[in-house]
């Protein structure tokens, strides 16, 4: 539609150009034909005997005349009709000449030749020629546009697969943190390089490989690395590119994609986000004739071998394997599924080494330590982390990235940007300090909780007045005791507000929401409730196309639903009571942490541990704070001294003025 609108605008533009030119030409010609005087006024000049001499071109009607009042000035005028003009002035001219035989009006009539007539027509001919050329050019362009639109319409079934250029090729050296996954894909590389090695043994290389994993773990990068290692053509396309409003376009594009791949075989076809077209059939609102299902059916046919696709390997990526159609995952289609998980500590260190190649790192930067601090980060997260650190270093006018920028970048990625300019009232600041102190102190006395990493009452992110960060541990599973302890930690903010301020606020809304969800998962999803038993009542992944609430029916009774709600409420109340007992017994710790936050605004892990164990900050922290205070005091003293000196000068000058002294005035 945009192209058509643009084409019509161009057509209108080219149509208006010749019209405007013709109008301007005729306007110019008419302006030439008309002098400042009207025809009646010109005739009146003759009737009032003001014209001394004139010359009239009988062909073109051009009149040149002089007046008695302006003998040296010739004026031109084009009469509309030579015959009518001569009839109008003939009597006046003859009468004047008879009355003045010694000073008659001199006049001359001439006849223009055909050549002059043709010369006068040249401007009009040029306008016609230029206008015709513009119209022809416009029509030609419209014709080309219509042909393009026709070709585009006929080419809806053509797929525009992206190919990777040589300069953008990736290899396994560019992929880190997934050694097992690379080993699985090396077979594909060997097949693409030497297929005879496998066919001699009667082996069949997998037709399709499905890469499964969370976003940012490097699935697309792995597929590109396979193509780069094998030096094979790499056709990349997204699953959403198959979906169109026209019926049959998706299936046609699938056929075209495999047709292109066969011509370039051995080749790799990479379909990113395959869940866009590969979802369960029969789950949509379009029934069996759904365009998405037709596209999937054609994909199944191409991969099943009804079309000759030897030498073509399909690699697909998705983070939703649960919604894919089972027919897509059977042997002969996607024979192999490779899970690309989040990297472990060693994997994160390797990824950091890859992304830090072109970045100057300071001597205090230890990639191994950073890898231990970034548990749960994907490859994309780590790349973004180093980029944020580089931006911070550039902002601080440093030549290298130091550990300070790395730590700030970690907090920035996890919690958002600091908003130091945002000022809170003393009441809000105090509430935030006790709230965050409640989280930290409660978690400190929990056996199965991550240690505190940082506490701050500086606003960050969206609506967060403060935060308490924890250092996660490298674990694959979360136990029941860990989840129960996390409930206590989340309740810490609400309980601290009630104990210290004798009031509660809306600041604990998100904490309560997350705690409620954990309780619900424990009861209905993980079977961790002694009252309900080891039964799963959650079926949240069954809704493939429809919304979670639209047409949803619970697979358990209302009585069971009530029991689940009662168990959730019981778990929340127990967690609240545990938190209340911990903070009551350690109220002095709560008060200490809160007051320290009010004075410093931020506490790191070392400082928090020292406050909880010794009741005071580490010695080096105190010395650094005293040095900073001394520097600030010296700055303030200097400013005060300058102010006193200035005030004394002003007072002295005032006394001199009061005593009638002229020294100040002279100065």
């Amino acid at each position: 539609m945009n192209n058509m609108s643009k084409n019509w605008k161009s057509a209108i533009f080219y149509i208006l150009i010749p019209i405007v030119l013709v109008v301007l030409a005729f306007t110019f010609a008419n302006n030439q034909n008309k002098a400042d005087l009207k025809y009646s006024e010109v005739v009146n000049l003759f009737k009032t005997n003001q014209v001394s001499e004139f010359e009239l071109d009988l062909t073109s009607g051009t009149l040149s005349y002089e007046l008695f009042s302006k003998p040296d000035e010739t004026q031109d005028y084009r009469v509309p009709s030579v015959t009518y003009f001569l009839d109008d002035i003939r009597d006046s001219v003859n009468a004047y000449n008879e009355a003045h035989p010694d000073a008659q009006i001199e006049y001359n009539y001439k006849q223009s030749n055909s050549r002059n007539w043709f010369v006068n027509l040249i401007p009009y001919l040029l306008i016609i020629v230029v206008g015709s050329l513009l119209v022809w050019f416009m029509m030609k362009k419209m014709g080309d546009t219509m042909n393009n639109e026709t070709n585009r319409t006929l080419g809806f079934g053509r797929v525009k697969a992206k190919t990777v250029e040589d300069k953008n090729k990736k290899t396994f050296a560019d992929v880190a943190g997934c050694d097992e996954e690379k080993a699985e894909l090396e077979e594909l590389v060997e097949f693409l390089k030497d297929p005879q090695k496998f066919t001699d043994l009667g082996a069949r290389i997998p037709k399709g490989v499905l890469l499964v994993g969370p976003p940012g773990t490097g699935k697309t990068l792995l597929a590109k690395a396979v193509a780069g290692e094998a030096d094979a053509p790499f056709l990349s396309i997204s699953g959403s590119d198959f979906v169109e409003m026209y019926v049959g376009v998706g299936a046609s594009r699938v056929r075209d994609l495999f047709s292109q791949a066969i011509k370039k075989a051995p080749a790799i076809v990479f379909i990113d986000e395959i869940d866009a077209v590969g979802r369960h059939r029969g789950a949509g609102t379009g029934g069996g004739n759904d365009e998405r299902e037709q596209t999937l059916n054609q994909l199944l046919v191409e991969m099943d071998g009804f079309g000759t696709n030897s030498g073509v390997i399909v690699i697909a990526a998705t983070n939703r394997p649960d919604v894919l159609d089972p027919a897509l995952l059977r042997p002969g289609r996607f024979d192999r599924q490779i899970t690309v998980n989040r990297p472990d500590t060693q994997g994160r260190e390797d990824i950091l080494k890859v992304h830090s190649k072109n970045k100057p790192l300071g001597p205090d930067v230890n990639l191994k330590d950073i890898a231990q601090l970034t548990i749960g980060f994907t490859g994309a997260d780590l790349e973004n982390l180093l980029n944020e650190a580089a931006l911070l270093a550039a902002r601080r006018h440093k030549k290298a990235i130091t550990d300070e920028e790395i730590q700030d970048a970690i907090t920035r990625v996890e919690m958002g940007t600091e908003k130091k300019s945002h000022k809170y009232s003393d009441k809000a600041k105090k509430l935030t300090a006790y709230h965050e102190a409640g989280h930290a102190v409660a978690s400190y006395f929990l056996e199965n909780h991550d240690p505190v990493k940082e506490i701050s009452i500086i606003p960050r992110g969206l609506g967060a007045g403060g935060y308490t960060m924890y250092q996660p541990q490298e674990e694959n599973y979360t136990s029941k005791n860990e989840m129960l302890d996390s409930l206590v930690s989340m309740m810490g903010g609400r309980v601290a507000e009630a104990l210290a301020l004798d009031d509660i606020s809306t600041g604990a809304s998100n904490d309560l929401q997350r705690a409620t969800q954990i309780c619900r998962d424990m009861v209905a999803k993980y079977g961790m409730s002694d009252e309900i038993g080891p039964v799963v009542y959650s079926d949240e992944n069954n809704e493939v196309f429809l919304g979670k609430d639209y047409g949803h029916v619970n697979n358990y009774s209302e009585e069971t639903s009530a029991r689940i709600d009662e168990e959730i409420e019981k778990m929340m109340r127990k967690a609240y009571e545990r938190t209340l007992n911990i903070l009551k017994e350690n109220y002095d710790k709560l008060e200490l942490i809160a007051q320290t936050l009010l004075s410093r605004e931020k506490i790191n892990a070392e400082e928090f541990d020292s406050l909880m164990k010794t009741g005071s900050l580490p010695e080096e922290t105190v010395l650094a704070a005293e040095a900073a205070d001394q520097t600030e005091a010296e700055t303030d003293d200097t400013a005060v001294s300058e102010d006193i000196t200035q005030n004394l000068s002003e007072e002295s000058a005032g006394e001199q003025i009061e005593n009638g002294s002229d020294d100040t005035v002279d100065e």
Side-chain angles (χ1 to χ4, degrees):
M1 288 298 293
N2 293 333
N3 291 331
M4 289 295 293
S5 177
K6 196 177 292 182
N7 293 331
W8 276 111
K9 290 180 180 178
S10 301
I12 294 172
F13 175 76
Y14 288 114
I15 290 173
L16 289 177
I17 287 178
I19 294 175
V20 171
L21 289 175
V22 172
V23 171
L24 291 176
F26 279 106
T27 303
F28 179 74
N30 290 333
N31 290 336
Q32 281 189 328
N33 293 342
K34 295 182 181 178
D36 295 335
L37 297 176
K38 297 180 179 178
Y39 176 76
S40 60
E41 294 175 341
V42 174
V43 173
N44 189 56
L45 293 176
F46 285 88
K47 291 184 178 182
T48 56
N49 300 324
Q50 298 184 42
V51 179
S52 62
E53 61 179 89
F54 69 93
E55 184 182 71
L56 179 63
D57 190 331
L58 300 178
T59 303
S60 64
T62 302
L63 173 68
S64 300
Y65 63 93
E66 294 181 4
L67 302 176
F68 286 108
S69 59
K70 301 177 181 178
D72 298 328
E73 184 178 343
T74 304
Q75 300 185 37
D76 295 326
Y77 182 80
R78 179 171 291 182
V79 299
S81 174
V82 175
T83 303
Y84 290 154
F85 178 72
L86 293 175
D87 292 339
D88 291 335
I89 68 171
R90 184 179 291 111
D91 294 339
S92 300
V93 173
N94 292 334
Y96 181 87
N97 289 338
E98 291 177 359
H100 302 83
D102 297 333
Q104 296 183 350
I105 299 175
E106 297 180 1
Y107 59 90
N108 179 36
Y109 300 118
K110 65 178 184 178
Q111 191 81 25
S112 300
N113 55 30
S114 59
R115 185 175 180 181
N116 293 333
W117 175 81
F118 180 76
V119 171
N120 293 330
L121 288 180
I122 288 177
Y124 299 98
L125 293 175
L126 289 175
I127 292 173
I128 295 173
V129 171
V130 172
S132 301
L133 289 175
L134 287 174
V135 172
W136 174 82
F137 178 76
M138 178 268 298
M139 297 299 295
K140 185 177 183 299
K141 187 169 183 180
M142 288 185 62
D144 294 340
T145 302
M146 294 299 294
N147 290 333
N148 291 335
E149 292 295 332
T150 303
N151 293 334
R152 190 176 303 163
T153 303
L154 296 175
F156 272 139
R158 301 293 302 272
V159 65
K160 295 181 180 179
K162 300 177 182 177
T163 56
V164 179
E165 299 179 359
D166 293 339
K167 61 180 181 181
N168 296 325
K169 281 188 176 181
K170 302 293 184 180
T171 62
F172 283 150
D174 300 313
V175 183
C178 48
D179 296 335
E180 292 80 5
E181 292 81 356
K182 288 193 293 185
E184 289 282 337
L185 295 172
E186 285 179 354
E187 289 183 1
L188 302 182
V189 176
E190 293 182 9
F191 171 77
L192 292 172
K193 288 184 176 180
D194 186 16
Q196 191 66 33
K197 174 183 175 181
F198 295 86
T199 56
D200 291 344
L201 296 173
R204 178 182 59 84
I205 200 67
K207 292 183 179 180
V209 177
L210 182 65
L211 303 178
V212 181
T217 51
K219 300 183 294 293
T220 303
L221 183 61
L222 273 171
K224 291 182 179 180
V226 172
E229 288 285 341
D231 196 21
F234 183 78
L235 284 73
S236 176
I237 191 171
S238 175
S240 59
D241 292 336
F242 295 109
V243 182
E244 275 285 355
M245 63 178 292
Y246 300 101
V247 177
V249 172
S252 178
R253 287 181 176 178
V254 171
R255 288 191 295 269
D256 184 65
L257 175 64
F258 279 88
S259 176
Q260 293 183 33
I262 292 170
K263 294 177 182 178
K264 299 179 181 180
I268 293 177
V269 174
F270 177 65
I271 305 175
D272 200 7
E273 306 296 341
I274 194 174
D275 52 276
V277 295
R279 298 194 176 196
H280 285 279
R281 289 171 292 180
T285 58
N289 294 322
D290 189 6
E291 172 64 13
R292 195 188 306 269
E293 293 190 4
Q294 300 299 326
T295 305
L296 175 59
N297 291 335
Q298 186 61 43
L299 180 62
L300 297 176
V301 169
E302 293 292 339
M303 294 190 66
D304 205 29
F306 286 99
T308 306
N309 58 352
S310 59
V312 178
I313 296 177
V314 182
I315 301 178
T318 181
N319 53 8
R320 293 293 309 277
D322 54 304
V323 303
L324 295 180
D325 193 280
L328 197 62
L329 305 177
R330 75 160 178 81
R333 288 163 181 164
F334 283 105
D335 307 82
R336 184 173 299 178
Q337 297 185 29
I338 300 176
T339 302
V340 187
N341 287 318
R342 300 178 186 271
D344 56 7
T345 303
Q346 184 60 46
R348 291 192 297 273
E349 184 180 352
D350 296 338
I351 294 173
L352 289 170
K353 290 179 180 178
V354 171
H355 291 302
S356 62
K357 285 181 179 179
N358 301 322
K359 294 180 174 62
L361 301 178
D364 59 340
V365 176
N366 191 328
L367 297 180
K368 186 175 182 179
D369 295 340
I370 299 173
Q372 293 176 350
L373 294 173
T374 52
I375 296 174
F377 278 47
T378 63
D381 295 331
L382 295 173
E383 191 275 336
N384 183 47
L385 169 65
L386 290 179
N387 185 64
E388 288 289 340
L391 294 175
L392 288 173
R395 188 180 304 170
R396 297 169 183 176
H397 306 287
K398 295 184 177 180
K399 300 297 183 181
I401 303 172
T402 64
D403 187 68
E404 181 183 1
E405 282 74 45
I406 296 290
Q407 300 300 327
D408 291 344
I410 293 175
T411 307
R412 188 186 183 97
V413 170
E414 291 184 346
M415 305 303 301
T417 307
E418 275 189 350
K419 301 178 181 178
K420 293 184 178 180
S421 60
H422 193 83
K423 303 297 183 183
Y424 282 110
S425 63
D426 293 338
K427 180 181 179 182
K429 193 173 181 180
K430 183 178 180 181
L431 187 146
T432 304
Y434 278 99
H435 184 99
E436 301 303 334
H439 286 305
V441 174
S443 64
Y444 182 81
F445 295 99
L446 298 173
E447 182 180 355
N448 303 293
H449 200 278
D450 298 330
V452 173
K453 181 180 179 181
E454 187 176 85
I455 318 169
S456 174
I457 59 173
I458 301 174
R460 281 183 180 267
L462 295 175
Y467 62 89
T468 302
M469 288 181 61
Y470 303 96
Q471 180 57 49
Q473 305 300 308
E474 194 83 54
E475 294 181 0
N476 295 326
Y477 297 98
T478 304
S479 66
K480 179 180 179 180
N481 290 331
E482 290 174 346
M483 299 178 77
L484 292 175
D485 284 356
S486 66
L487 296 178
V488 175
S489 173
M490 293 177 186
M491 293 288 185
R494 167 60 62 88
V495 175
E497 293 177 10
L499 286 177
L501 307 175
D502 196 23
D503 196 8
I504 57 177
S505 69
T506 60
S509 172
N510 183 255
D511 299 327
L512 296 176
Q513 184 179 0
R514 291 188 294 132
T516 304
Q517 186 60 46
I518 290 175
C519 291
R520 185 171 297 278
D521 290 341
M522 291 178 66
V523 175
K525 188 175 182 180
Y526 303 128
M528 294 181 176
S529 171
D530 296 333
E531 182 68 24
I532 302 298
V535 183
V536 177
Y537 293 103
S538 176
D539 58 348
E540 58 185 18
N541 292 328
N542 287 346
E543 295 83 8
V544 180
F545 282 95
L546 305 178
K548 290 186 176 183
D549 298 324
Y550 179 73
H552 177 72
V553 180
N554 291 328
N555 56 0
Y556 47 87
S557 64
E558 293 294 332
E559 181 182 355
T560 302
S561 178
R563 291 174 60 200
I564 292 175
D565 294 338
E566 291 176 0
E567 188 67 11
I568 293 172
E569 182 182 355
K570 186 188 298 183
M571 296 174 69
M572 293 285 288
R573 291 188 179 278
K574 284 184 178 180
Y576 189 91
E577 291 175 1
R578 285 184 61 194
T579 310
L580 183 63
N581 293 331
I582 292 174
L583 295 185
K584 278 185 176 181
E585 294 176 359
N586 302 277
Y587 187 79
D588 56 333
K589 305 291 186 183
L590 176 66
E591 189 73 26
L592 176 62
I593 299 299
Q595 294 300 323
T596 306
L597 281 173
L598 287 172
S599 62
R600 295 176 52 83
E601 294 188 335
K602 188 183 293 184
I603 302 175
N604 58 32
E606 184 182 358
E607 295 168 349
F608 175 75
D609 192 63
S610 178
L611 287 171
M612 295 298 293
K613 291 180 179 178
T614 65
S616 62
L617 293 170
E619 184 177 354
E620 56 270 16
T621 302
V622 175
L623 293 175
E626 290 178 352
D629 294 338
Q630 185 176 358
T631 303
E632 185 177 357
E634 291 176 354
T635 305
D636 294 339
D637 291 342
T638 303
V640 171
S641 177
E642 293 177 353
D643 292 339
I644 293 174
T645 303
Q646 185 177 358
N647 292 333
L648 289 175
S649 301
E650 293 176 355
E651 291 176 0
S652 177
E655 291 177 357
Q656 291 176 358
I657 294 173
E658 290 177 359
N659 295 331
S661 176
D662 295 334
D663 295 339
T664 305
V665 179
D666 293 337
E667 292 178 1

